[in-house]
Coordinates of all heavy atoms in Angstrom, one line a residue:
K1378 N 2.0 19.9 26.5 CA 3.3 20.4 27.1 C 4.5 20.1 26.3 O 5.5 20.7 26.4 CB 3.4 19.8 28.5 CG 2.3 20.2 29.4 CD 2.5 19.7 30.8 CE 1.4 20.1 31.8 NZ 1.6 19.5 33.1
R1379 N 4.4 19.1 25.4 CA 5.6 18.7 24.6 C 5.9 19.7 23.5 O 7.0 19.7 22.9 CB 5.4 17.3 24.1 CG 5.2 16.2 25.1 CD 4.9 14.9 24.4 NE 3.8 15.0 23.5 CZ 3.4 14.0 22.7 NH1 4.1 13.0 22.5 NH2 2.3 14.2 21.9
G1380 N 4.9 20.5 23.2 CA 5.0 21.3 22.0 C 4.9 20.5 20.7 O 4.3 19.5 20.7
L1381 N 5.6 21.0 19.7 CA 5.5 20.3 18.4 C 6.5 19.1 18.5 O 7.7 19.3 18.9 CB 5.9 21.2 17.3 CG 4.9 22.3 16.9 CD1 5.4 23.1 15.7 CD2 3.5 21.8 16.7
V1382 N 6.0 17.9 18.1 CA 6.9 16.7 18.0 C 7.1 16.4 16.6 O 6.2 16.2 15.8 CB 6.2 15.5 18.8 CG1 7.1 14.3 18.7 CG2 5.9 15.9 20.2
C1383 N 8.4 16.3 16.2 CA 8.7 16.0 14.8 C 9.5 14.7 14.7 O 10.4 14.4 15.6 CB 9.6 17.2 14.2 SG 8.7 18.8 14.3
E1384 N 9.2 13.9 13.7 CA 10.0 12.7 13.5 C 10.0 12.4 12.0 O 9.0 12.7 11.3 CB 9.4 11.5 14.3 CG 7.9 11.2 13.9 CD 7.4 10.1 14.8 OE1 8.2 9.1 15.0 OE2 6.2 10.1 15.1
F1385 N 11.1 11.7 11.5 CA 11.2 11.3 10.1 C 10.2 10.2 9.9 O 10.1 9.3 10.7 CB 12.6 10.9 9.8 CG 13.6 12.0 9.6 CD1 14.6 12.3 10.5 CD2 13.5 12.8 8.5 CE1 15.5 13.3 10.3 CE2 14.4 13.9 8.3 CZ 15.4 14.1 9.2
V1386 N 9.6 10.3 8.7 CA 8.7 9.2 8.3 C 9.0 8.9 6.8 O 9.7 9.6 6.1 CB 7.2 9.6 8.4 CG1 6.8 9.7 9.8 CG2 6.9 10.9 7.6
G1387 N 8.5 7.8 6.3 CA 8.8 7.4 4.9 C 8.0 8.2 4.0 O 7.1 9.0 4.3
P1388 N 8.2 8.0 2.7 CA 7.5 8.8 1.7 C 6.0 8.4 1.7 O 5.6 7.4 2.1 CB 8.2 8.4 0.3 CG 8.8 7.1 0.6 CD 9.2 7.1 2.1
R1389 N 5.2 9.4 1.1 CA 3.8 9.1 1.1 C 3.5 8.0 0.2 O 4.0 7.9 -1.0 CB 3.1 10.4 0.6 CG 1.5 10.3 0.6 CD 0.9 11.6 0.1 NE 1.2 11.7 -1.4 CZ 0.4 11.2 -2.3 NH1 -0.7 10.5 -2.0 NH2 0.7 11.4 -3.6
P1390 N 2.7 7.0 0.6 CA 2.4 5.8 -0.2 C 1.7 6.2 -1.5 O 0.8 7.1 -1.4 CB 1.5 5.0 0.7 CG 1.7 5.4 2.1 CD 2.1 6.9 2.0
Q1391 N 2.1 5.7 -2.6 CA 1.5 6.0 -3.9 C 0.3 5.2 -4.1 O 0.3 4.0 -3.8 CB 2.5 5.8 -5.0 CG 3.8 6.7 -4.9 CD 3.4 8.2 -5.1 OE1 2.6 8.5 -5.9 NE2 4.1 9.0 -4.3
K1392 N -0.7 5.8 -4.6 CA -1.9 5.0 -5.0 C -1.7 4.1 -6.2 O -1.3 4.6 -7.2 CB -3.1 6.0 -5.2 CG -3.5 6.8 -4.0 CD -4.7 7.7 -4.3 CE -5.1 8.5 -3.1 NZ -6.2 9.4 -3.5
K1393 N -1.9 2.9 -6.0 CA -1.7 2.0 -7.1 C -2.9 1.9 -8.0 O -4.0 1.8 -7.6 CB -1.4 0.5 -6.6 CG 0.0 0.4 -5.9 CD 0.2 -1.0 -5.4 CE 1.5 -1.1 -4.7 NZ 1.8 -2.5 -4.3
E1394 N -2.6 2.0 -9.3 CA -3.7 1.9 -10.3 C -4.1 0.4 -10.4 O -3.2 -0.4 -10.7 CB -3.2 2.5 -11.6 CG -3.0 4.0 -11.6 CD -4.2 4.8 -11.4 OE1 -5.3 4.2 -11.8 OE2 -4.2 5.9 -10.9
I1395 N -5.3 0.1 -10.2 CA -5.8 -1.2 -10.2 C -6.5 -1.4 -11.6 O -7.5 -0.7 -11.9 CB -6.7 -1.5 -9.0 CG1 -6.0 -1.3 -7.7 CG2 -7.3 -2.9 -9.1 CD1 -6.9 -1.5 -6.5
E1396 N -6.1 -2.4 -12.3 CA -6.8 -2.8 -13.5 C -8.1 -3.5 -13.2 O -8.1 -4.5 -12.6 CB -5.9 -3.6 -14.4 CG -4.9 -2.8 -15.2 CD -4.3 -3.7 -16.3 OE1 -4.0 -4.9 -16.1 OE2 -4.1 -3.2 -17.4
I1397 N -9.2 -3.0 -13.7 CA -10.5 -3.6 -13.5 C -10.7 -4.6 -14.6 O -10.9 -4.2 -15.8 CB -11.6 -2.5 -13.5 CG1 -11.3 -1.5 -12.4 CG2 -12.9 -3.2 -13.2 CD1 -11.2 -2.0 -11.0
K1398 N -10.7 -5.9 -14.3 CA -10.9 -6.9 -15.3 C -12.2 -7.7 -15.1 O -12.3 -8.8 -15.6 CB -9.7 -7.8 -15.3 CG -8.4 -7.1 -15.6 CD -7.3 -8.2 -15.6 CE -5.9 -7.5 -15.9 NZ -4.8 -8.5 -15.9
T1399 N -13.1 -7.2 -14.2 CA -14.3 -8.0 -13.8 C -15.5 -7.2 -14.0 O -15.6 -6.0 -13.7 CB -14.1 -8.4 -12.4 OG1 -12.9 -9.1 -12.2 CG2 -15.3 -9.3 -12.0
L1400 N -16.6 -7.8 -14.5 CA -17.9 -7.2 -14.6 C -18.8 -7.8 -13.5 O -18.8 -9.0 -13.3 CB -18.5 -7.5 -15.9 CG -18.0 -6.8 -17.2 CD1 -18.7 -7.3 -18.4 CD2 -18.2 -5.3 -17.0
H1401 N -19.5 -7.0 -12.8 CA -20.5 -7.4 -11.8 C -21.9 -7.3 -12.5 O -22.3 -6.2 -12.9 CB -20.5 -6.5 -10.6 CG -21.4 -7.0 -9.5 ND1 -21.8 -6.2 -8.5 CD2 -22.0 -8.2 -9.3 CE1 -22.6 -6.9 -7.7 NE2 -22.7 -8.1 -8.2
V1402 N -22.6 -8.4 -12.6 CA -23.9 -8.5 -13.3 C -25.0 -8.8 -12.3 O -24.8 -9.7 -11.4 CB -23.8 -9.6 -14.3 CG1 -25.1 -9.6 -15.2 CG2 -22.6 -9.5 -15.2
T1403 N -26.0 -8.0 -12.3 CA -27.2 -8.1 -11.4 C -28.5 -8.1 -12.2 O -28.5 -7.9 -13.4 CB -27.2 -7.0 -10.4 OG1 -27.3 -5.7 -11.1 CG2 -25.9 -6.9 -9.6
E1404 N -29.5 -8.5 -11.5 CA -30.9 -8.6 -12.0 C -31.0 -9.5 -13.2 O -31.6 -9.3 -14.2 CB -31.4 -7.2 -12.4 CG -31.4 -6.2 -11.2 CD -32.0 -4.8 -11.6 OE1 -32.6 -4.7 -12.8 OE2 -31.9 -3.9 -10.9
M1405 N -30.3 -10.7 -13.1 CA -30.3 -11.7 -14.1 C -31.5 -12.6 -13.9 O -32.0 -12.8 -12.8 CB -29.1 -12.6 -14.0 CG -27.8 -11.9 -14.4 SD -26.4 -13.0 -14.5 CE -26.3 -13.7 -12.8
N1406 N -32.0 -13.1 -15.0 CA -33.1 -14.1 -15.0 C -32.5 -15.5 -15.1 O -31.2 -15.6 -15.2 CB -34.2 -13.9 -16.1 CG -33.5 -13.9 -17.5 OD1 -32.4 -14.4 -17.7 ND2 -34.3 -13.3 -18.4

Side-chain angles (χ1 to χ4, degrees):
K1378 297 180 180 179
R1379 301 175 301 170
L1381 293 183
V1382 178
C1383 302
E1384 59 179 326
F1385 281 112
V1386 293
R1389 185 179 70 87
Q1391 298 295 322
K1392 294 180 180 178
K1393 293 183 178 180
E1394 294 292 334
I1395 301 176
E1396 278 195 318
I1397 305 298
K1398 301 181 182 179
T1399 305
L1400 287 178
H1401 185 201
V1402 186
T1403 59
E1404 299 185 12
M1405 294 188 296
N1406 57 21

